[in-house]
């Protein structure tokens, strides 16, 4: 069965303290892996798409990487406005649906 | 910036009542979706819709659920006879084309409370 596991469940950082979020996945043929950001009471907001092992994408303080079994979202020198829940999702070949993980709740304190 | 809009933002209903949730996807997008998120749980896929028909649906999307695109702009989710376990945030989403079906633009959600 296709599934996504994210760790840690919650992460508290000081402003400027870099860290990484993990997304482990099992899927019967990966079509794509996606990172989303979700603020409280809002819909998820698309961040990155990764298609194959070794691929990396960057946007401001965020960098996403992919291996054959997991993806990492690296946050460099985070700011309080980076506080949110970060969701990882996979899409299997032949399907449109996304399978989401439970997310990592990130809190960045000044 | 174009966005997906959903109404109502919050609906309270009695068990057994019919509910219709409405969405206006981004105008040039071709694929439309409904996802839901029960409080404290994962975002779950319900259904995808392309070319005026359902292209994919989950086990959750049983006979109590239906979707429709009644005109060129609206996309609706109907729950025929609501149950307590249908209480959740329902998100509408759209994507531009076949190559970007994982790059979803989500609406703000409709919170459904079934009493």
């Amino acid at each position: 069965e296709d599934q996504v596991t994210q760790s840690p469940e919650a992460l508290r950082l000081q402003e400027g303290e870099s860290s990484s979020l993990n997304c482990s996945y099992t899927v019967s043929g990966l079509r794509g892996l996606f990172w989303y950001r979700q603020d409280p009471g809002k819909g998820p907001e698309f961040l990155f798409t990764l298609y194959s092992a070794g691929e990396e994408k960057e946007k401001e303080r965020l960098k996403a990487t992919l291996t054959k079994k997991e993806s990492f979202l690296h946050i460099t020198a985070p700011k309080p406005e980076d506080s949110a829940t970060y969701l990882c999702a996979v899409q299997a070949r032949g399907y449109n649906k996304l399978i989401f993980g439970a997310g990592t709740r990130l809190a960045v304190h000044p | 910036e174009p966005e997906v809009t959903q109404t109502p933002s919050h609906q309270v209903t009695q068990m057994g009542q019919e509910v219709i949730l409405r969405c206006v996807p981004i105008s040039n997008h071709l694929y439309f979706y409904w996802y839901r998120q029960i409080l404290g749980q994962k975002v779950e896929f319900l259904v995808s819709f392309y070319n005026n028909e359902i292209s994919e649906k989950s086990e959750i999307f049983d006979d109590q659920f239906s979707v429709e695109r009644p005109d060129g702009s609206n996309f609706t989710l109907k729950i025929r006879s609501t149950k307590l376990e249908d209480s959740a945030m329902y998100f509408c989403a759209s994507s531009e084309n076949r190559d970007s079906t994982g790059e979803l633009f989500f609406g703000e959600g409709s919170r459904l409370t079934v009493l």
Side-chain angles (χ1 to χ4, degrees):
Chain A
E1 186 183 334
D2 300 338
Q3 62 179 24
V4 177
T5 304
Q6 292 188 246
S7 61
E9 284 184 22
L11 182 62
R12 179 190 168 114
L13 299 174
Q14 288 298 121
E15 186 172 0
E17 179 187 1
S18 302
S19 188
S20 295
L21 283 51
N22 176 263
C23 170
S24 297
Y25 65 91
T26 54
V27 65
S28 52
L30 181 69
R31 182 177 175 186
L33 184 141
F34 306 88
W35 283 96
Y36 283 81
R37 170 190 170 128
Q38 187 175 27
D39 291 302
K42 306 281 188 182
E45 177 189 346
F46 170 73
L47 293 174
F48 300 112
T49 306
L50 299 164
Y51 291 112
S52 56
E55 193 174 357
E56 297 184 353
K57 294 274 178 73
E58 264 186 89
K59 180 180 177 180
E60 296 180 357
R61 295 175 293 282
L62 301 176
K63 181 165 116 177
T65 61
L66 180 65
T67 71
K68 287 188 177 175
K69 293 184 178 179
E70 54 191 354
S71 176
F72 292 93
L73 185 66
H74 307 277
I75 303 177
T76 303
K79 298 183 177 182
E81 52 261 43
D82 294 322
S83 298
T85 296
Y86 289 86
L87 303 175
C88 173
V90 296
Q91 186 180 46
R93 254 185 240 122
Y95 293 91
N96 289 336
K97 70 177 180 186
L98 296 185
I99 300 165
F100 281 87
T104 293
R105 211 167 48 254
L106 174 67
V108 182
H109 295 269
Chain B
E1 186 175 315
E3 59 180 17
V4 174
T5 57
Q6 291 186 240
T7 54
S9 55
H10 189 192
Q11 180 152 359
V12 181
T13 190
Q14 295 291 325
M15 193 168 54
Q17 294 296 303
E18 177 182 284
V19 159
I20 297 176
L21 305 179
R22 292 182 168 80
C23 170
V24 179
I26 294 173
S27 61
N28 65 331
H29 283 192
L30 300 178
Y31 288 79
F32 314 117
Y33 311 83
W34 286 98
Y35 282 78
R36 78 174 186 188
Q37 188 172 31
I38 295 170
L39 190 64
Q41 297 188 24
K42 297 180 181 183
V43 175
E44 300 176 288
F45 170 78
L46 292 178
V47 66
S48 65
F49 192 85
Y50 169 72
N51 202 25
N52 282 319
E53 59 183 24
I54 291 173
S55 54
E56 198 174 330
K57 62 182 182 178
S58 72
E59 291 173 357
I60 303 167
F61 194 88
D62 61 21
D63 292 344
Q64 292 301 309
F65 291 88
S66 62
V67 289
E68 197 178 33
R69 190 156 159 83
D71 53 44
S73 59
N74 291 287
F75 180 49
T76 62
L77 174 70
K78 183 194 289 186
I79 309 175
R80 255 179 274 284
S81 177
T82 50
K83 303 173 191 158
L84 295 176
E85 54 264 36
D86 293 328
S87 294
M89 182 75 98
Y90 287 81
F91 292 109
C92 175
S94 66
S95 63
E96 194 170 357
N97 54 45
R98 179 190 296 181
D99 294 330
S100 61
T101 53
E103 298 174 15
L104 304 182
F105 290 76
F106 282 86
E108 299 267 283
S110 293
R111 179 167 299 285
L112 176 64
T113 302
V114 183
L115 302 176

